[in-house]
Amino acid sequence: MTVSVVYPGSFDPVTYGHIDVIQRAASRFSRLIVACLQNAGKDPMFDVEERIALLEEVTGDLRNVEVAAFDGLLVDFCREHDVRLVVKGLRAVSDFEYELQMAQMNRSIGGVETLFLTASPIYSFLSSSLVKEIARFGGDVTDFVPPPVADRMRARRW
Ligand code: ADP
């Protein structure tokens, strides 16, 4: 059976937590599309082209993983790509309330089911926003993001 899944997010930037979810989902499904949200909040660190380039670079060894930009409704993206299953990572109870609401809405408006993967304990505290905050103050992010991402963050002028 061929089952495709979509993994949506801002990925501003991609962290080891995201990569862990990507690897785990990619090893269980035939095809995984990482859907990178174009409009990632008010002040994204990287524009969507850079976020996608980094995602492609760090997932290049996974042959069933594709990366695409997405804007608008996730259910429309799923329909356009002929996918009916979304994968999300759940870190803590704080993620749960919003994710539950989104999952129920996506099933209601588009018949899209959401599958939650619990964060690996070593990454359960990791978020893009925290990593950006560390980088902004000159901290070391090498434990949290892959080398090409850490290089790009260091190269950023603030
Ligand atoms: P964030 O800024 O929270 O990292 P994203 O929108 O890029 O936000 O996250 C996309 C998806 O990845 C969400 O389902 C989020 O819960 C999940 N995710 C983010 N970080 C992790 C992590 N460390 N472990 C597991 N899942 C994660």
Side-chain angles (χ1 to χ4, degrees), residues 60-107:
D61 56 330
L62 299 168
R63 286 176 44 235
N64 60 339
V65 174
E66 305 157 35
V67 184
F70 115 86
D71 211 359
L73 291 179
L74 182 61
V75 291
D76 290 337
F77 180 92
C78 289
R79 194 182 313 113
E80 282 155 23
H81 290 80
D82 203 21
V83 177
R84 301 180 64 78
L85 191 57
V86 162
V87 168
K88 302 227 70 182
L90 264 192
R91 283 163 292 194
V93 178
S94 49
D95 280 344
F96 182 75
E97 214 168 324
Y98 176 72
E99 294 294 354
L100 177 70
Q101 211 178 359
M102 289 297 296
Q104 290 174 335
M105 185 56 84
N106 286 333
R107 191 171 61 217

Side-chain angles (χ1 to χ4, degrees), residues 7-11 17-18 21 88-89 91 95 99 119 123 126-128:
Y7 176 40
S10 305
F11 306 105
H18 298 130
V21 171
K88 302 227 70 182
R91 283 163 292 194
D95 280 344
E99 294 294 354
Y123 301 129
L126 190 50
S127 71
S128 296

Side-chain angles (χ1 to χ4, degrees), residues 7-22 24 35 37 40 51 86-92 95 99 114-132 144:
Y7 176 40
S10 305
F11 306 105
D12 183 42
V14 58
T15 69
Y16 282 134
H18 298 130
I19 294 170
D20 182 57
V21 171
I22 292 170
R24 288 160 60 199
L37 193 60
R51 285 182 272 127
V86 162
V87 168
K88 302 227 70 182
L90 264 192
R91 283 163 292 194
D95 280 344
E99 294 294 354
T114 303
L115 189 73
F116 292 104
L117 295 185
T118 52
S120 293
I122 51 166
Y123 301 129
S124 63
F125 61 91
L126 190 50
S127 71
S128 296
S129 45
L130 213 50
V131 171
K132 281 186 280 191
F144 312 126

